[in-house]
Amino acid sequence: MKHGKKYQTSAKEFDLTKTYDAAEAMKTVVETAKAKFDETIELHVRLGIDPRQADQQVRGTVVLPNGTGKTVRVLVIAKGEKADIAEKEGADIVGAEDIIAKIQNEGFLGFDVCITSPDMMGQMGKVAKILGPKGLMPSPKSGTVTMDIAKAIRETKAGKVEYRVDKTAIIHCPIGKKSFGAEKLLENYQTLMDAIIKAKPAAAKGMYVRSIYTSATMGPGLKIVHRV
């Protein structure tokens, strides 16, 4: 794979074979992010589980103490009082059958998170094949199918992220922006890692956390030593 000039410049500024402690890794990833835009800092965690097994799934949500640095567009699909609450709480788009039809017929995807009330889930099946592959389908496990619409909106706007193991047993998740600085990124990192460790399946055997890497959008990965 051929990397761009900014990647190559960043790669020269630290030792790709070194394992960093978390604080040093956050400091280094910020210092070596060279893009002209505010790069997202990501975390990649490989777990010692078999994601093909239903009892070894790792998935959940956590509110990062310093947010994600991203403005999140929230769609709420609800009716009546819950729709009114959604509007008061600052949801960007609120609707019911009209929005479902817009997604189904026009492929509308002008939002980052979709929250719905349980009574609307029967109709959400119409757009599951559209939203599912995009990671936008509401789910009770991610807290986006809920009776407490207000809480879901507040948490999402405050920086709630979903972590979910992929088919290769790796979790990929943003922990903030370069502009946060190392200290805030470290706080977000620790909060996310605490949640992932807490979510360890009972069926998981052997070493749970196999490796941890962090990287900026345009930069190479730094390996972080995992301390229990």
Side-chain angles (χ1 to χ4, degrees):
M1 182 182 294
K2 186 176 180 180
H3 295 292
K5 290 181 180 179
K6 288 185 174 62
Y7 178 102
Q8 293 178 32
T9 300
S10 295
K12 291 177 182 177
E13 295 187 15
F14 56 86
D15 185 354
L16 292 173
T17 65
K18 179 180 176 180
T19 300
Y20 295 77
D21 65 43
E24 186 182 11
M26 296 305 139
K27 182 175 182 290
T28 304
V29 78
V30 167
E31 291 175 347
T32 57
K34 301 297 184 181
K36 294 181 180 179
F37 61 92
D38 192 8
E39 294 181 66
T40 296
I41 308 302
E42 300 173 347
L43 198 67
H44 311 278
V45 185
R46 185 166 70 91
L47 301 177
I49 62 169
D50 183 353
R52 296 171 298 179
Q53 304 302 318
D55 61 353
Q56 294 191 44
Q57 294 298 306
V58 177
R59 179 181 183 181
T61 60
V62 62
V63 178
L64 300 179
N66 300 299
T68 63
K70 179 181 179 181
T71 300
V72 181
R73 298 168 296 172
V74 176
L75 163 64
V76 173
I77 296 179
K79 291 181 177 180
E81 182 183 2
K82 291 183 179 62
D84 294 338
I85 290 172
E87 290 180 349
K88 290 178 183 177
E89 288 293 336
D92 299 276
I93 309 165
V94 180
E97 290 88 354
D98 56 331
I99 296 295
I100 293 174
K102 189 172 182 180
I103 295 170
Q104 184 177 23
N105 300 325
E106 302 175 24
F108 173 68
L109 294 172
F111 52 93
D112 301 302
V113 175
C114 179
I115 297 169
T116 187
S117 53
D119 59 295
M120 294 299 297
M121 279 303 288
Q123 299 192 51
M124 290 299 294
K126 299 176 183 177
V127 293
K129 290 184 178 179
I130 298 173
L131 299 184
K134 301 289 186 181
L136 295 171
M137 186 66 183
S139 164
K141 289 184 178 180
S142 65
T144 48
V145 178
T146 177
M147 292 292 290
D148 196 341
I149 296 290
K151 180 182 177 183
I153 294 171
R154 288 195 298 268
E155 288 186 343
T156 299
K157 292 284 189 179
K160 183 173 77 171
V161 295
E162 180 179 7
Y163 58 89
R164 184 177 185 178
V165 70
D166 65 14
K167 62 182 180 181
T168 63
I170 299 175
I171 291 174
H172 307 276
C173 196
I175 56 171
K177 295 285 188 177
K178 172 188 174 181
S179 60
F180 281 21
E183 186 175 339
K184 288 184 177 180
L185 287 171
L186 181 61
E187 291 175 355
N188 282 357
Y189 162 84
Q190 291 171 333
T191 298
L192 178 57
M193 284 304 303
D194 286 347
I196 292 173
I197 292 167
K198 188 176 180 180
K200 179 182 178 180
K205 305 299 181 184
M207 185 184 294
Y208 178 53
V209 177
R210 295 289 179 87
S211 65
I212 308 171
Y213 284 83
T214 187
S215 65
T217 304
M218 305 297 290
L222 289 75
K223 187 175 184 179
I224 300 175
V225 61
H226 173 55
R227 302 189 189 281
V228 179

